[in-house]
Amino acid sequence: MTTPTAPEPLLGRPERLIALADGVYAIAITLLAIDIKLPDGLDSAEFHRQLHDLLPQVGAYALSFLVLAAFWRDHHRLFLGVGQVDGLVIRLTLFGLGIAALLPFPTSLIAEYASEPSAVAIYSAAVAALGSTQFTLLLVVWRRPWLRSAPLPDREAHAYLADLGATVVVFAATAPLSFLIGSRVVWGWLVLLPVKVAIGRWSTRVSRSDV
């Protein structure tokens, strides 16, 4: 049996790449909330009106916080068994971090213009692109065992891929659908809740069966 060889040079351990990812995700999450504020000097009636007007921004913040937190968690989970990185892993990680850092912009679009199909489409496309990048990164790490300090079992990798793939499919589908049925398409994102619960239970059973 031949041992697979690396198609490109290994560039060291992943700690600095993980630290960079932590910093980018932390900054992106912070920027989500930076515009959520009320003007000074409001009377009681205006205060309550302005507070009500902030609800879409708070909702958009909560959604994107959950999205970024989930991708950050998956990124950490992916790198748990990685001992070395190569150029492709670094390029994919940087591309994904670039999208994550950009997410506050489409978040502001759906906060201010949720009724505009273009705003929903841009947000959906950004999340789908981030998910696709992370999906590809997982495939690379799984298919290049020389990068790993511990093997990634096939069934566990399949569970991770299914979880990321569900996110990509749902958000990629809602991007064009927003131009057909309008902003109501955002309710389609709720499909991910039962899907991810089911995948999570499957992943738990897979992990227990591998012990």
Side-chain angles (χ1 to χ4, degrees):
M1 181 177 179
T2 58
T3 301
T5 57
E8 53 183 303
L10 299 178
L11 300 176
R13 296 185 58 79
E15 283 79 7
R16 295 180 67 182
L17 200 59
I18 295 171
L20 175 63
D22 289 347
V24 170
Y25 275 102
I27 292 171
I29 288 173
T30 301
L31 290 176
L32 292 175
I34 201 166
D35 291 328
I36 302 178
K37 56 186 177 181
L38 291 174
D40 296 330
L42 300 176
D43 59 29
S44 179
E46 188 67 13
F47 168 78
H48 287 93
R49 189 185 71 80
Q50 291 277 358
L51 196 61
H52 181 270
D53 290 344
L54 279 181
L55 290 179
Q57 287 181 280
V58 174
Y61 162 79
L63 172 64
S64 289
F65 176 86
L66 292 174
V67 168
L68 286 174
F71 279 122
W72 173 82
R73 177 207 63 192
D74 290 341
H75 190 270
H76 262 264
R77 185 169 63 175
L78 169 63
F79 275 89
L80 282 177
V82 173
Q84 297 285 330
V85 296
D86 59 15
L88 182 56
V89 170
I90 291 175
R91 290 191 296 272
L92 285 170
T93 299
L94 291 176
F95 185 74
L97 293 179
I99 300 172
L102 186 65
L103 198 63
F105 169 64
T107 300
S108 68
L109 290 182
I110 62 169
E112 298 292 340
Y113 305 101
S115 61
E116 293 291 334
S118 296
V120 176
I122 291 170
Y123 186 88
S124 298
V127 176
L130 181 54
S132 298
T133 304
Q134 203 139 298
F135 185 95
T136 305
L137 182 59
L138 174 56
L139 276 177
V140 169
V141 171
W142 177 38
R143 293 299 189 183
R144 297 187 173 190
W146 54 86
L147 297 176
R148 300 189 61 83
S149 55
L152 178 62
D154 287 353
R155 289 192 295 177
E156 188 175 343
H158 292 158
Y160 290 171
L161 289 170
D163 185 78
L164 283 169
T167 301
V168 173
V169 168
V170 169
F171 278 93
T174 56
L177 284 175
S178 64
F179 295 103
L180 297 176
I181 62 177
S183 60
R184 296 189 305 276
V185 76
V186 300
W187 293 106
W189 296 341
L190 295 177
V191 172
L192 280 173
L193 295 177
V195 170
K196 284 185 173 289
V197 168
I199 293 173
R201 290 176 178 172
W202 172 46
S203 178
T204 300
R205 289 197 301 269
V206 166
S207 299
R208 288 175 179 172
S209 66
D210 287 334
V211 174

